[in-house]
Amino acid sequence: MLISCAWLREWVRPNADIRALAARLTMGGLEVAAVTDAGPALGKRVVVGRIAAVNAMPGRANLKACEVDVGGRRPVAIVCGAPNIAAGDRVAVAMPGARLPGATVKKRRIAGVESAGMICSPAELGIDERADAVLQLDADTVIGRPLAEHLGLDDQILELELTPNRGDCLSVQGVAREVAALFSAKLRAPPGIADKTTVTERTKLPVELRAPAACPRYVGRAVCGVDLAARPPDWLTERLRRAGARSVNAAVDVTNYVMLELGQPLHAFDLGKLSGGIVVRQAKAGEKLRLLDGSRLTLRADNLVIADHAKAVALAGIMGGWDSAVSAATRSIYFEAALFPAQAMLGKARRFGMHTDASHRFERGVDSQLQARAIERATQLLVSIAGGRPGPLTDARANKFMPRPAVIELPRAEIARQLGVTVPAARVAAFLKRLGMQVAPLPGKAAGWRVTAPSWRSDVTGAHDLVEEVARLAGYDNLPSRPPRIVAAAAAARPETHVDAAQLKNALVARGYFEAITYSFVDPKTQAQLTAKRGILLRNPIAPNMAAMRRSLWPGLLDALRGNLNRRHERARLFEVGHVFRGGVDNRREVERLAALATGPALPTQWGARERGVDFFDVKGDLQAVLARAGQACQFRATKHPALHPGRAAQLRQGGAVIGHIGQLHPAHQRAMDLAQAVYLFDVDVAALANSELPAFTAVSKYPAVRRDLAVSVERGVGAQAALDATRAAAGPLLADLALFDVYAGRRMEKSRKSFALRLTFRSDSGNLTAARVDAQMARIVAALQRKLGAKLRD
Amino acid sequence: MDSPRGRAVGVDELNAGPGPADPVALSAAAMAAIACADSPGELEALRVGYLGKKGQVTAQLKQLGALPAERRREAGRALNQAKTEIQKALEARQAELEGAAVDAQLQAETIDVTQPGRGQAAGALHPLTRTLRRMQRIFESLGFEVATGPEIEDEYHNFEALNIPADHPARAMHDTFYLAPGTVLRTHTSPVQIRHMRGRPPPLQVIAPGRVYRCDSDVTHTPMFHQMEGLVVARGVTFADLKGVLAHFARAFFERDLALRFRPSYFPFTEPSAEVDIACVFCDGRGCRICKHSGWLEVLGSGMVHPQVLRHGRIDPAKFSGYAFGMGVERLTMLRYGVNDLRLFFDNDLAFLRQFR
């Protein structure tokens, strides 16, 4: 919302300069995003001139030699190429030495003719973008007067960012009311604005409100015999320009002006194109309507239209129709100022992809008492510009559906209860009165007020709204602050055994992983390849490759990896913790997962370590470090997974449940994603790791340990886990520690076999272990390995 | 090793000497020889030569018996003194030689301590995680607990319960991602307020950090970002509490005595509502490019919980009051570390992530 300060000061004159005004508005809740000048400083060398004569230039069809009266003793000669120049026109003339935003004007010869200045377009003057024609000025403008003076360019424009609750501030009048309240200044409407129109025409249209809830009031008036070719005056078009509106013709300009001034959207129909009268009704399903902007709508039954007795002529509160639009040829117009309550207007324009000045205001609430006043103002302005005979005012109302002013009880204690401070009663009443509220004492014994909100503050409905108004006028910064205190009993501390994601993240960071945060939506195609399903789809994704809610963190991490490989980071270790979305929209499950990937050298470049690529067991070690934080007993079991290499994939099991996966990215995906090197991935459910076990002390043995190594060969299909499990089971409680310290398959072995080298540590709590006892234990283990796994003892 | 003490007297020379020698001279000769000994072997030979079974001192002690009784006593004492002196000298020299050997070995074992250490280098948490943890720690120290909620929300929790009915202009400000009619990606962390209020009776004092989504993507908007919601509901909670907590937070977070300002604003779920600006941390409020020369940076939205929202949370607004706030985690992170492009947070470029080790 752009507000000209000069226009605003016509209504209210706070004792404040522009900076103080902007600061107070901002701190009052009407945020001033910017303050800009209404135009460049043009100085006194840009003046109003009158074209005295226009002479053709031989051989130069597009140039004219003009004689321009600039208030001196004789006209000056200026060569001009603009198409819209005629003798008698008042124009803006930049004299030699004038500084325009683009350049300083000099006397010069153009096509052999001396040109002593420049007739300027709005673009050359730096006040508008229009560059195809010179700026035309009012016919009665004083010749020789500096243009800046004539247009009042010494003005600033406030750019307000209004919140949606303050529809009442979408006009000069509304902002002026607010300024008056904030500064405790007097609000005065400009002279003449409230004048009643003298009716000189009998034409009157019947108005019928067939949808009174959506339109409880419709005010209309015919104005006959207007000349819409008449030029609106400079002061009016200049104010429109400063508010961001463009001059179209007298009728349209007047409706826009009144909307900007008072906040009531208006429409002007070509009266000659309306048949019978006005009917405000719901559209018929499938009814067609062509709008002012040329768009053709097919309406639904819940659209409200303004119709004549033949057809729909406007989309109510949004835009007028094409067929009944005014043009320069229009002789009689019909003004509309209606009330469409916000409730009925919400979302209606957006359903057609539209957003207009009118719909913006109606959706935020328009003052229910404004309509007749707006029509009177528009009539007055139109007649002054385009002449015409105003008809009688038609004010159709459905009183039952008219908004009632809210009457609110505000107990005095409520203010202290919300703000933490007691505001003196006199101040509260004064604040509320400044805002146009009627304030009376609360009936009964309780201290407080009965407050009636003004018709323009439809956002004020309850005591909490009044508390905010009091706070706003008092100034939030003047309200007290209280040191922090604990108001709720401190939550019971998490159990010691609880493992949160932060601890898991720390484990991975310690092992060289970087945390990534990737988007929760991924490419459905990639996701389908990696997880066998596309996932829950967004109806309005930002891009097709961000259309599916992730079922796994892997697609996002792989995407991040690809970006890093493109940036030549050959070694990457990334992880992410976040929600994944399983199932369908209706039976969705949102689960927190931890996933990681690693690729490139196993270690950062360093001396003394042979460089090798990261492999499955490096990453498994990292995953086990995470599991160790959680103190969870988990098993790895070979598995198949659509994302993973079929021979290098494992599921992570906890009891009977699969809580994660680990493996090498399937080489087919690796190729498809254009990744040069093998990638290892894991993924685990965070909730499954949330509970660790409380450490329980057992006595530390005083007796020495006995260490034995054992090498056995097994068929290649036998897993290390099976060998370790069988060993542990057979060894019994004396086995204090067991480690696999070598795996060998190769030339010194039968082709179908491999060997495991195990290191066993025995220890007893009750005495020294004898060699014989350990030997017996070892024999039992060997026997068990033979029996269960077909293992053979190696030498 | 050259002896600085002049000519060494060899053992052989001593052994070759005739008759009983003067113990003082014997001791002096032994001292000189010991001082010149360069190796444990030489030292051992000297020990044998003087103190061994056939050594000179031993031999002379054996000869004492042959002396006249009156001289025997004094000679014995002199000899024993010489023996003790020689023994001490041998031990001292022994220790000296051993020390030198150890020193030599240590010298030989010297390494270049400036060579880099081996193994994995540390990774890093994402900067947004750093900020979230820090925010959480500050609020936990004030007695807040952490609440969470789903990222796929229904319109009721995301909008209606928060006083944002369908078609409300405030909804247009939330560019919402839809998954199905009535099902959205949460556009803010505020729905956690409703879930938490319904989940337990007041008093409540929670924060709810998490991801939120808006269907918007340009230089200053990413379709996903993070917020931290705060909610306090109890008897007697006022706007003054809100101001105090947020001022404490801002000062704790930025580790300086920042000026704050509270501006009236509008959120459908709070009233009074306030936007909170902090004095620009880059120019200390003097005005710079980052704060658009205003001296202020907008960092969060807040307000007293709207009575209708309390009712939706099944809390009686006549008995309880509350405040709520919502902060942009990306914004705070950018201000804290000077990050100048929002999109960097989701590019996951290792060159960026490494800066937060």
mmCIF file of all heavy atoms in Angstrom, chain A residues 351 417-418 465 476 479 515 517-518 520 539-540 564 571 576 590 606-607, chain B residues 116 119-120 124 129 151 167 176 178 211 213 239 243 271 273 317 348 350:
data_model
loop_
_atom_site.group_PDB
_atom_site.id
_atom_site.type_symbol
_atom_site.label_atom_id
_atom_site.label_comp_id
_atom_site.label_asym_id
_atom_site.label_seq_id
_atom_site.Cartn_x
_atom_site.Cartn_y
_atom_site.Cartn_z
ATOM 1 N N ARG A 351 -9.804 -18.358 -6.558
ATOM 2 C CA ARG A 351 -10.273 -19.532 -7.287
ATOM 3 C C ARG A 351 -10.167 -19.341 -8.796
ATOM 4 O O ARG A 351 -10.083 -20.293 -9.544
ATOM 5 C CB ARG A 351 -11.717 -19.855 -6.880
ATOM 6 C CG ARG A 351 -11.852 -21.275 -6.386
ATOM 7 C CD ARG A 351 -12.954 -21.423 -5.377
ATOM 8 N NE ARG A 351 -12.463 -21.299 -4.023
ATOM 9 C CZ ARG A 351 -13.217 -20.932 -3.000
ATOM 10 N NH1 ARG A 351 -14.481 -20.631 -3.176
ATOM 11 N NH2 ARG A 351 -12.687 -20.860 -1.798
ATOM 12 N N ARG A 417 -4.086 -8.814 33.352
ATOM 13 C CA ARG A 417 -3.902 -10.258 33.248
ATOM 14 C C ARG A 417 -3.124 -10.619 31.975
ATOM 15 O O ARG A 417 -2.363 -11.585 31.954
ATOM 16 C CB ARG A 417 -5.272 -10.962 33.223
ATOM 17 C CG ARG A 417 -5.199 -12.458 33.453
ATOM 18 C CD ARG A 417 -6.585 -13.048 33.642
ATOM 19 N NE ARG A 417 -7.201 -13.388 32.388
ATOM 20 C CZ ARG A 417 -7.173 -14.610 31.846
ATOM 21 N NH1 ARG A 417 -6.547 -15.590 32.453
ATOM 22 N NH2 ARG A 417 -7.773 -14.845 30.710
ATOM 23 N N GLN A 418 -3.314 -9.853 30.920
ATOM 24 C CA GLN A 418 -2.613 -10.158 29.673
ATOM 25 C C GLN A 418 -1.277 -9.419 29.551
ATOM 26 O O GLN A 418 -0.317 -9.963 29.046
ATOM 27 C CB GLN A 418 -3.492 -9.791 28.465
ATOM 28 C CG GLN A 418 -4.766 -10.621 28.335
ATOM 29 C CD GLN A 418 -4.491 -12.076 27.995
ATOM 30 O OE1 GLN A 418 -3.445 -12.423 27.450
ATOM 31 N NE2 GLN A 418 -5.421 -12.957 28.341
ATOM 32 N N ASP A 465 -8.883 -8.294 21.623
ATOM 33 C CA ASP A 465 -8.583 -7.300 20.597
ATOM 34 C C ASP A 465 -8.385 -5.926 21.226
ATOM 35 O O ASP A 465 -7.524 -5.155 20.806
ATOM 36 C CB ASP A 465 -9.729 -7.227 19.581
ATOM 37 C CG ASP A 465 -9.871 -8.516 18.781
ATOM 38 O OD1 ASP A 465 -8.876 -8.944 18.181
ATOM 39 O OD2 ASP A 465 -10.972 -9.092 18.776
ATOM 40 N N TYR A 476 4.367 -1.028 22.626
ATOM 41 C CA TYR A 476 4.865 -2.289 23.185
ATOM 42 C C TYR A 476 6.155 -2.076 23.975
ATOM 43 O O TYR A 476 6.406 -2.739 24.973
ATOM 44 C CB TYR A 476 5.133 -3.295 22.060
ATOM 45 C CG TYR A 476 3.911 -3.994 21.504
ATOM 46 C CD1 TYR A 476 2.621 -3.554 21.773
ATOM 47 C CD2 TYR A 476 4.072 -5.118 20.685
ATOM 48 C CE1 TYR A 476 1.519 -4.198 21.244
ATOM 49 C CE2 TYR A 476 2.977 -5.778 20.153
ATOM 50 C CZ TYR A 476 1.704 -5.318 20.430
ATOM 51 O OH TYR A 476 0.633 -5.971 19.904
ATOM 52 N N LEU A 479 5.791 -1.298 27.613
ATOM 53 C CA LEU A 479 5.215 -2.295 28.516
ATOM 54 C C LEU A 479 6.338 -2.967 29.296
ATOM 55 O O LEU A 479 7.463 -3.064 28.810
ATOM 56 C CB LEU A 479 4.419 -3.334 27.723
ATOM 57 C CG LEU A 479 3.192 -2.763 26.978
ATOM 58 C CD1 LEU A 479 2.549 -3.846 26.132
ATOM 59 C CD2 LEU A 479 2.188 -2.200 27.979
ATOM 60 N N GLU A 515 27.385 -33.787 8.656
ATOM 61 C CA GLU A 515 25.919 -33.840 8.652
ATOM 62 C C GLU A 515 25.364 -33.041 7.477
ATOM 63 O O GLU A 515 25.741 -31.890 7.263
ATOM 64 C CB GLU A 515 25.353 -33.273 9.952
ATOM 65 C CG GLU A 515 23.841 -33.451 10.018
ATOM 66 C CD GLU A 515 23.192 -32.767 11.213
ATOM 67 O OE1 GLU A 515 23.862 -31.976 11.897
ATOM 68 O OE2 GLU A 515 22.006 -33.039 11.454
ATOM 69 N N ILE A 517 21.710 -31.750 5.451
ATOM 70 C CA ILE A 517 20.267 -31.586 5.594
ATOM 71 C C ILE A 517 19.715 -31.480 4.179
ATOM 72 O O ILE A 517 20.023 -30.521 3.469
ATOM 73 C CB ILE A 517 19.906 -30.352 6.441
ATOM 74 C CG1 ILE A 517 20.409 -30.554 7.875
ATOM 75 C CG2 ILE A 517 18.395 -30.120 6.432
ATOM 76 C CD1 ILE A 517 20.058 -29.436 8.839
ATOM 77 N N THR A 518 18.988 -32.492 3.764
ATOM 78 C CA THR A 518 18.473 -32.512 2.390
ATOM 79 C C THR A 518 16.959 -32.323 2.437
ATOM 80 O O THR A 518 16.331 -32.509 3.480
ATOM 81 C CB THR A 518 18.815 -33.830 1.676
ATOM 82 O OG1 THR A 518 18.049 -34.890 2.252
ATOM 83 C CG2 THR A 518 20.285 -34.161 1.797
ATOM 84 N N SER A 520 13.032 -32.836 2.139
ATOM 85 C CA SER A 520 12.207 -34.000 2.470
ATOM 86 C C SER A 520 11.457 -34.533 1.258
ATOM 87 O O SER A 520 10.805 -35.556 1.354
ATOM 88 C CB SER A 520 11.197 -33.633 3.554
ATOM 89 O OG SER A 520 11.863 -33.142 4.687
ATOM 90 N N ARG A 539 0.874 -32.626 -4.337
ATOM 91 C CA ARG A 539 -0.021 -32.212 -5.414
ATOM 92 C C ARG A 539 0.528 -31.000 -6.142
ATOM 93 O O ARG A 539 0.215 -30.770 -7.300
ATOM 94 C CB ARG A 539 -1.387 -31.860 -4.842
ATOM 95 C CG ARG A 539 -2.018 -33.049 -4.198
ATOM 96 C CD ARG A 539 -3.503 -32.904 -4.188
ATOM 97 N NE ARG A 539 -4.083 -34.230 -4.084
ATOM 98 C CZ ARG A 539 -5.336 -34.503 -4.344
ATOM 99 N NH1 ARG A 539 -6.146 -33.560 -4.762
ATOM 100 N NH2 ARG A 539 -5.780 -35.736 -4.221
ATOM 101 N N ASN A 540 1.295 -30.189 -5.448
ATOM 102 C CA ASN A 540 1.826 -28.966 -6.068
ATOM 103 C C ASN A 540 3.324 -28.853 -5.793
ATOM 104 O O ASN A 540 3.769 -27.973 -5.064
ATOM 105 C CB ASN A 540 1.075 -27.736 -5.539
ATOM 106 C CG ASN A 540 1.063 -27.665 -4.012
ATOM 107 O OD1 ASN A 540 1.226 -28.679 -3.346
ATOM 108 N ND2 ASN A 540 0.896 -26.478 -3.468
ATOM 109 N N ASN A 564 28.648 -33.019 -4.567
ATOM 110 C CA ASN A 564 30.010 -32.897 -4.040
ATOM 111 C C ASN A 564 31.037 -33.506 -4.986
ATOM 112 O O ASN A 564 32.137 -32.981 -5.124
ATOM 113 C CB ASN A 564 30.100 -33.532 -2.654
ATOM 114 C CG ASN A 564 29.650 -32.569 -1.576
ATOM 115 O OD1 ASN A 564 30.256 -31.520 -1.397
ATOM 116 N ND2 ASN A 564 28.563 -32.903 -0.889
ATOM 117 N N ARG A 571 36.373 -37.638 -1.758
ATOM 118 C CA ARG A 571 36.139 -38.404 -0.547
ATOM 119 C C ARG A 571 34.977 -37.745 0.177
ATOM 120 O O ARG A 571 35.010 -36.553 0.464
ATOM 121 C CB ARG A 571 37.391 -38.371 0.335
ATOM 122 C CG ARG A 571 37.232 -39.118 1.618
ATOM 123 C CD ARG A 571 38.562 -39.221 2.352
ATOM 124 N NE ARG A 571 38.400 -40.154 3.434
ATOM 125 C CZ ARG A 571 37.989 -39.814 4.653
ATOM 126 N NH1 ARG A 571 37.729 -38.565 4.925
ATOM 127 N NH2 ARG A 571 37.832 -40.736 5.582
ATOM 128 N N GLU A 576 22.642 -38.000 7.641
ATOM 129 C CA GLU A 576 21.485 -37.148 7.903
ATOM 130 C C GLU A 576 20.574 -37.859 8.895
ATOM 131 O O GLU A 576 20.486 -39.093 8.895
ATOM 132 C CB GLU A 576 20.718 -36.859 6.606
ATOM 133 C CG GLU A 576 19.503 -35.953 6.827
ATOM 134 C CD GLU A 576 18.873 -35.435 5.540
ATOM 135 O OE1 GLU A 576 19.182 -35.974 4.460
ATOM 136 O OE2 GLU A 576 18.053 -34.499 5.632
ATOM 137 N N GLU A 590 5.294 -41.661 9.904
ATOM 138 C CA GLU A 590 6.416 -40.742 9.855
ATOM 139 C C GLU A 590 7.451 -41.266 10.840
ATOM 140 O O GLU A 590 7.160 -41.382 12.030
ATOM 141 C CB GLU A 590 5.942 -39.355 10.275
ATOM 142 C CG GLU A 590 6.444 -38.258 9.400
ATOM 143 C CD GLU A 590 5.795 -36.930 9.722
ATOM 144 O OE1 GLU A 590 4.668 -36.684 9.271
ATOM 145 O OE2 GLU A 590 6.431 -36.144 10.421
ATOM 146 N N GLN A 606 47.032 -39.044 3.766
ATOM 147 C CA GLN A 606 47.970 -38.932 4.884
ATOM 148 C C GLN A 606 49.171 -39.806 4.627
ATOM 149 O O GLN A 606 49.146 -40.708 3.795
ATOM 150 C CB GLN A 606 47.296 -39.302 6.197
ATOM 151 C CG GLN A 606 46.681 -40.690 6.219
ATOM 152 C CD GLN A 606 45.832 -40.886 7.465
ATOM 153 O OE1 GLN A 606 46.303 -41.413 8.439
ATOM 154 N NE2 GLN A 606 44.575 -40.455 7.399
ATOM 155 N N TRP A 607 50.263 -39.539 5.358
ATOM 156 C CA TRP A 607 51.473 -40.322 5.220
ATOM 157 C C TRP A 607 51.306 -41.601 6.050
ATOM 158 O O TRP A 607 50.520 -41.653 6.980
ATOM 159 C CB TRP A 607 52.678 -39.503 5.691
ATOM 160 C CG TRP A 607 52.601 -39.185 7.160
ATOM 161 C CD1 TRP A 607 51.902 -38.187 7.730
ATOM 162 C CD2 TRP A 607 53.200 -39.923 8.219
ATOM 163 N NE1 TRP A 607 52.011 -38.232 9.074
ATOM 164 C CE2 TRP A 607 52.812 -39.291 9.417
ATOM 165 C CE3 TRP A 607 54.036 -41.060 8.267
ATOM 166 C CZ2 TRP A 607 53.233 -39.752 10.657
ATOM 167 C CZ3 TRP A 607 54.448 -41.503 9.509
ATOM 168 C CH2 TRP A 607 54.050 -40.866 10.692
ATOM 169 N N PRO B 116 51.955 -34.773 10.523
ATOM 170 C CA PRO B 116 50.549 -34.831 10.975
ATOM 171 C C PRO B 116 50.202 -36.178 11.591
ATOM 172 O O PRO B 116 50.778 -37.204 11.234
ATOM 173 C CB PRO B 116 49.750 -34.626 9.690
ATOM 174 C CG PRO B 116 50.717 -34.135 8.666
ATOM 175 C CD PRO B 116 52.078 -34.612 9.072
ATOM 176 N N GLY B 119 44.902 -41.154 10.871
ATOM 177 C CA GLY B 119 43.554 -41.628 11.181
ATOM 178 C C GLY B 119 42.495 -40.721 10.574
ATOM 179 O O GLY B 119 42.797 -39.885 9.731
ATOM 180 N N GLN B 120 41.241 -40.935 10.997
ATOM 181 C CA GLN B 120 40.135 -40.129 10.498
ATOM 182 C C GLN B 120 40.258 -38.709 11.019
ATOM 183 O O GLN B 120 40.648 -38.493 12.163
ATOM 184 C CB GLN B 120 38.792 -40.698 10.986
ATOM 185 C CG GLN B 120 38.404 -42.027 10.392
ATOM 186 C CD GLN B 120 38.052 -41.947 8.925
ATOM 187 O OE1 GLN B 120 38.064 -40.886 8.307
ATOM 188 N NE2 GLN B 120 37.738 -43.102 8.352
ATOM 189 N N ALA B 124 31.635 -32.912 10.962
ATOM 190 C CA ALA B 124 30.994 -31.754 11.597
ATOM 191 C C ALA B 124 29.489 -31.894 11.577
ATOM 192 O O ALA B 124 28.927 -32.538 10.691
ATOM 193 C CB ALA B 124 31.393 -30.466 10.882
ATOM 194 N N THR B 129 22.067 -27.507 12.862
ATOM 195 C CA THR B 129 22.026 -28.334 14.067
ATOM 196 C C THR B 129 22.743 -27.638 15.215
ATOM 197 O O THR B 129 22.295 -27.669 16.357
ATOM 198 C CB THR B 129 22.666 -29.705 13.787
ATOM 199 O OG1 THR B 129 21.934 -30.335 12.755
ATOM 200 C CG2 THR B 129 22.672 -30.580 15.022
ATOM 201 N N GLU B 151 5.415 -33.844 10.428
ATOM 202 C CA GLU B 151 5.649 -32.850 9.379
ATOM 203 C C GLU B 151 4.529 -32.877 8.349
ATOM 204 O O GLU B 151 4.243 -31.875 7.716
ATOM 205 C CB GLU B 151 7.017 -33.095 8.732
ATOM 206 C CG GLU B 151 8.139 -32.782 9.717
ATOM 207 C CD GLU B 151 9.515 -33.235 9.252
ATOM 208 O OE1 GLU B 151 9.716 -33.434 8.039
ATOM 209 O OE2 GLU B 151 10.389 -33.401 10.125
ATOM 210 N N ASP B 167 -9.466 -20.044 3.221
ATOM 211 C CA ASP B 167 -9.594 -18.791 2.456
ATOM 212 C C ASP B 167 -9.237 -17.544 3.248
ATOM 213 O O ASP B 167 -9.380 -16.438 2.766
ATOM 214 C CB ASP B 167 -11.026 -18.629 1.896
ATOM 215 C CG ASP B 167 -11.331 -19.695 0.868
ATOM 216 O OD1 ASP B 167 -10.418 -20.026 0.103
ATOM 217 O OD2 ASP B 167 -12.457 -20.194 0.855
ATOM 218 N N THR B 176 1.221 -23.197 0.654
ATOM 219 C CA THR B 176 1.120 -24.517 1.266
ATOM 220 C C THR B 176 1.311 -25.649 0.259
ATOM 221 O O THR B 176 0.753 -25.606 -0.832
ATOM 222 C CB THR B 176 -0.268 -24.659 1.920
ATOM 223 O OG1 THR B 176 -0.502 -23.505 2.706
ATOM 224 C CG2 THR B 176 -0.346 -25.905 2.770
ATOM 225 N N TYR B 178 0.332 -29.306 -0.701
ATOM 226 C CA TYR B 178 -0.755 -30.232 -0.423
ATOM 227 C C TYR B 178 -0.380 -31.653 -0.843
ATOM 228 O O TYR B 178 0.269 -31.853 -1.867
ATOM 229 C CB TYR B 178 -2.032 -29.807 -1.170
ATOM 230 C CG TYR B 178 -2.768 -28.721 -0.437
ATOM 231 C CD1 TYR B 178 -2.425 -27.389 -0.629
ATOM 232 C CD2 TYR B 178 -3.759 -29.026 0.485
ATOM 233 C CE1 TYR B 178 -3.065 -26.376 0.073
ATOM 234 C CE2 TYR B 178 -4.407 -28.032 1.197
ATOM 235 C CZ TYR B 178 -4.056 -26.709 0.986
ATOM 236 O OH TYR B 178 -4.695 -25.726 1.694
ATOM 237 N N ARG B 211 11.322 -29.087 11.012
ATOM 238 C CA ARG B 211 11.264 -28.661 9.616
ATOM 239 C C ARG B 211 9.873 -28.152 9.287
ATOM 240 O O ARG B 211 8.884 -28.719 9.762
ATOM 241 C CB ARG B 211 11.539 -29.842 8.691
ATOM 242 C CG ARG B 211 12.931 -30.385 8.800
ATOM 243 C CD ARG B 211 13.099 -31.554 7.824
ATOM 244 N NE ARG B 211 14.485 -32.013 7.893
ATOM 245 C CZ ARG B 211 15.149 -32.524 6.872
ATOM 246 N NH1 ARG B 211 14.559 -32.678 5.705
ATOM 247 N NH2 ARG B 211 16.400 -32.895 7.005
ATOM 248 N N TYR B 213 7.546 -26.256 5.772
ATOM 249 C CA TYR B 213 7.566 -26.248 4.306
ATOM 250 C C TYR B 213 6.680 -25.158 3.735
ATOM 251 O O TYR B 213 5.565 -24.958 4.195
ATOM 252 C CB TYR B 213 7.082 -27.603 3.794
ATOM 253 C CG TYR B 213 7.863 -28.769 4.364
ATOM 254 C CD1 TYR B 213 7.491 -29.353 5.578
ATOM 255 C CD2 TYR B 213 8.990 -29.250 3.714
ATOM 256 C CE1 TYR B 213 8.218 -30.402 6.119
ATOM 257 C CE2 TYR B 213 9.727 -30.301 4.244
ATOM 258 C CZ TYR B 213 9.327 -30.874 5.454
ATOM 259 O OH TYR B 213 10.058 -31.906 5.978
ATOM 260 N N PHE B 239 2.275 -10.781 28.908
ATOM 261 C CA PHE B 239 3.147 -10.245 27.863
ATOM 262 C C PHE B 239 4.517 -9.866 28.437
ATOM 263 O O PHE B 239 5.523 -9.959 27.748
ATOM 264 C CB PHE B 239 2.451 -9.007 27.272
ATOM 265 C CG PHE B 239 3.004 -8.539 25.965
ATOM 266 C CD1 PHE B 239 2.730 -9.223 24.798
ATOM 267 C CD2 PHE B 239 3.784 -7.385 25.887
ATOM 268 C CE1 PHE B 239 3.226 -8.777 23.583
ATOM 269 C CE2 PHE B 239 4.293 -6.940 24.675
ATOM 270 C CZ PHE B 239 4.012 -7.632 23.515
ATOM 271 N N LYS B 243 8.162 -10.857 26.945
ATOM 272 C CA LYS B 243 9.252 -9.921 26.663
ATOM 273 C C LYS B 243 10.532 -10.338 27.383
ATOM 274 O O LYS B 243 11.618 -10.302 26.799
ATOM 275 C CB LYS B 243 8.859 -8.496 27.105
ATOM 276 C CG LYS B 243 7.872 -7.830 26.163
ATOM 277 C CD LYS B 243 7.576 -6.384 26.571
ATOM 278 C CE LYS B 243 8.705 -5.448 26.183
ATOM 279 N NZ LYS B 243 8.322 -4.022 26.360
ATOM 280 N N GLU B 271 -2.744 -12.811 20.199
ATOM 281 C CA GLU B 271 -3.230 -11.445 20.327
ATOM 282 C C GLU B 271 -3.074 -10.998 21.775
ATOM 283 O O GLU B 271 -3.615 -11.650 22.654
ATOM 284 C CB GLU B 271 -4.681 -11.334 19.890
ATOM 285 C CG GLU B 271 -5.148 -9.903 19.862
ATOM 286 C CD GLU B 271 -6.253 -9.656 18.852
ATOM 287 O OE1 GLU B 271 -6.772 -10.622 18.293
ATOM 288 O OE2 GLU B 271 -6.588 -8.481 18.657
ATOM 289 N N SER B 273 -0.172 -9.534 19.223
ATOM 290 C CA SER B 273 0.919 -10.164 18.479
ATOM 291 C C SER B 273 2.076 -9.182 18.360
ATOM 292 O O SER B 273 1.849 -7.981 18.288
ATOM 293 C CB SER B 273 0.464 -10.539 17.070
ATOM 294 O OG SER B 273 -0.602 -11.452 17.113
ATOM 295 N N PRO B 317 -9.630 -20.254 28.631
ATOM 296 C CA PRO B 317 -8.901 -18.976 28.572
ATOM 297 C C PRO B 317 -9.234 -18.051 29.734
ATOM 298 O O PRO B 317 -8.528 -17.070 29.958
ATOM 299 C CB PRO B 317 -9.344 -18.359 27.239
ATOM 300 C CG PRO B 317 -10.605 -19.050 26.872
ATOM 301 C CD PRO B 317 -10.601 -20.399 27.525
ATOM 302 N N ASN B 348 24.596 -28.718 0.845
ATOM 303 C CA ASN B 348 25.413 -29.755 1.474
ATOM 304 C C ASN B 348 26.790 -29.886 0.840
ATOM 305 O O ASN B 348 27.326 -30.979 0.702
ATOM 306 C CB ASN B 348 24.678 -31.098 1.458
ATOM 307 C CG ASN B 348 23.408 -31.032 2.282
ATOM 308 O OD1 ASN B 348 23.454 -30.721 3.470
ATOM 309 N ND2 ASN B 348 22.280 -31.296 1.657
ATOM 310 N N LEU B 350 30.544 -29.929 0.857
ATOM 311 C CA LEU B 350 31.502 -30.222 1.930
ATOM 312 C C LEU B 350 32.371 -29.008 2.252
ATOM 313 O O LEU B 350 32.764 -28.806 3.402
ATOM 314 C CB LEU B 350 32.376 -31.423 1.553
ATOM 315 C CG LEU B 350 31.669 -32.780 1.704
ATOM 316 C CD1 LEU B 350 32.427 -33.863 0.972
ATOM 317 C CD2 LEU B 350 31.526 -33.139 3.179
#
